[in-house]
Amino acid sequence: KDKQKLGLISALVLTIVWLAVGIGSSLVCSVICFVYPAYKSFKAVESPQGDDDTQWLTYWIVYSTFNILEYFADIIFFWIPMFQLLKCLFLLWCMWPIPNNGASVVYKKILRPFLLKNEEKIDARLEKVTGKVNKYVDDAKREASEFADSSAGVMLAAGAQVATETASQQLDDALNEDADKDKEI
């Protein structure tokens, strides 16, 4: 039991030093703060209770907001000593399994009021963007369908069919050739 405790403490110290030094620290932080919550989210989705769903949804809202802010403020965060260690500690606090963990506090005090205040504006902009994306997708489908129906599309499809049949025949020939060699052995 003492060996397990020593091993755990050693792993923790090694992780903290690794995060503090900086080489590969972003990867270590991502693994710690993404893989574990992703698995716990899976477990929450599969469980019959709903309280764990809320906990992990709240974490992901805070996590994604933090990542967006980090992307735009990276030029500043780069100069903060041991930033990856601080980031990892913050996200660990956000996922810690206690009632008022970091995700709960950040969501209730900062994100929720902001989102509620701006919900209509955000919904309107999302609707506008979604409408434009749907229009582009519909236009692309229509153009692809028109091309497929055109003589060039028909020729391209016929060429692809011939190429597929030729490749299939060559593969069959190669396999049969190998089978014949195996019989000779």
Side-chain angles (χ1 to χ4, degrees):
K1 191 158 189 158
D2 286 338
K3 283 186 178 184
Q4 286 179 335
K5 197 174 190 179
L6 181 63
L8 184 62
I9 291 171
S10 299
L12 183 63
V13 168
L14 178 65
T15 302
I16 290 171
V17 169
W18 195 350
L19 286 167
V21 170
I23 299 170
S25 60
S26 180
L27 175 64
V28 173
C29 186
S30 293
V31 167
I32 293 169
C33 299
F34 185 84
V35 173
Y36 175 76
Y39 182 72
K40 294 300 282 185
S41 297
F42 157 74
K43 297 292 279 185
V45 167
E46 296 299 318
S47 76
Q49 304 93 305
D51 57 337
D52 51 357
D53 294 3
T54 302
Q55 175 192 348
W56 291 109
L57 282 171
T58 304
Y59 173 80
W60 289 115
I61 292 168
V62 172
Y63 180 87
S64 61
T65 303
F66 182 81
N67 276 343
I68 291 167
L69 293 174
E70 181 185 16
Y71 176 80
F72 290 106
D74 189 50
I75 192 97
I76 297 165
F77 291 154
F78 175 79
W79 294 102
I80 297 174
M82 298 185 290
F83 171 71
Q84 290 298 326
L85 175 61
L86 297 172
K87 173 185 169 183
C88 195
L89 291 173
F90 168 72
L91 291 171
L92 282 170
W93 175 56
C94 286
M95 73 172 89
W96 206 256
I98 57 173
N100 285 318
N101 64 14
S104 178
V105 171
V106 170
Y107 177 77
K108 288 176 186 170
K109 301 278 186 194
I110 299 170
L111 296 177
R112 186 173 188 272
F114 173 80
L115 291 170
L116 288 173
K117 178 182 173 189
N118 295 290
E119 187 174 8
E120 288 182 24
K121 292 177 196 172
I122 294 168
D123 286 343
R125 289 201 177 132
L126 283 175
E127 186 65 36
K128 186 176 180 181
V129 169
T130 303
K132 286 182 180 181
V133 168
N134 286 338
K135 181 187 176 305
Y136 292 135
V137 169
D138 290 343
D139 289 348
K141 283 181 186 177
R142 183 181 36 75
E143 288 181 23
S145 178
E146 288 173 5
F147 176 76
D149 293 341
S150 71
S151 57
V154 171
M155 286 176 36
L156 183 62
Q161 180 67 30
V162 169
T164 301
E165 290 171 1
T166 303
S168 179
Q169 184 60 46
Q170 289 175 347
L171 180 61
D172 287 344
D173 291 346
L175 291 174
N176 288 335
E177 197 174 289
D178 288 345
D180 291 342
K181 286 181 183 178
D182 289 342
K183 286 179 184 176
E184 292 173 6
I185 297 175

